[in-house]
């Protein structure tokens, strides 16, 4: 079971990036799948979660209207399109299975390795 994230990099404020996360060893569309991020010295922050049951979505307040999660079942891949990026979006981004919101806290069962996103001029 593996989640391979990619697509991070350095981008200027206002720019865009698309992160990808490809699963191997299991079928992504059977599980909730999402993204969270962690910046140095800060707590984990839930970014997004896509429901396997009904394709409903969750977005953290700080990214609503700017980020979009989607899934390509044929490629067993989930994406995070990030637009209008801000310096405060700088973090390591992780994809995770069985994401869920429990008492306002973003939780998950398994995560892959992260990909660094840096927003700076």
């Amino acid at each position: 079971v593996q989640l391979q994230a990619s697509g991070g990099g350095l981008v200027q404020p206002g720019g865009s990036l698309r992160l990808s996360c490809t699963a191997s060893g299991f079928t992504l569309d059977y599980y909730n799948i999402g993204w969270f991020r962690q910046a140095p010295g800060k707590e984990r922050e839930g970014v997004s979660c896509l429901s396997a049951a009904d394709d409903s979505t969750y977005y953290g307040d700080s990214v609503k209207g700017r980020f979009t999660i989607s899934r390509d079942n044929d490629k067993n891949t989930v994406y995070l399109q990030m637009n209008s990026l801000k310096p405060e979006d700088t973090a390591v981004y992780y994809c995770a299975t069985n994401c869920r919101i429990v008492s306002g806290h973003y939780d998950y069962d398994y995560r892959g390795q992260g990909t660094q996103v840096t927003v700076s001029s």
Side-chain angles (χ1 to χ4, degrees):
V1 173
Q2 189 174 11
L3 291 170
Q4 182 71 40
S6 61
L10 173 64
V11 63
Q12 292 187 342
S16 298
L17 281 175
R18 188 178 79 157
L19 306 184
S20 301
C21 177
T22 299
S24 57
F26 68 101
T27 302
L28 257 186
D29 63 348
Y30 291 168
Y31 302 90
N32 291 357
I33 186 72
W35 297 85
F36 68 92
R37 65 189 183 187
Q38 188 145 25
K42 294 186 177 180
E43 292 188 355
R44 181 176 73 216
E45 180 183 7
V47 173
S48 186
C49 185
L50 177 60
S51 168
D54 59 8
D55 283 342
S56 59
T57 55
Y58 160 86
Y59 293 99
D61 287 342
S62 62
V63 307
K64 281 179 183 175
R66 301 187 297 124
F67 290 11
T68 303
I69 190 170
S70 61
R71 178 172 52 209
D72 185 331
N73 292 335
D74 290 338
K75 295 182 179 179
N76 215 27
T77 297
V78 63
Y79 302 98
L80 185 70
Q81 178 66 43
M82 306 187 295
N83 298 329
S84 302
L85 283 161
K86 305 174 182 180
E88 51 264 43
D89 293 318
T90 296
V92 178
Y93 284 70
Y94 300 88
C95 58
T97 63
N98 279 345
C99 50
R100 54 202 180 267
I101 309 302
V102 180
S103 300
H105 181 74
Y106 189 98
D107 205 356
Y108 63 93
D109 283 355
Y110 176 78
R111 67 162 175 85
Q113 100 293 349
T115 186
Q116 175 71 46
V117 171
T118 302
V119 184
S120 175
S121 54

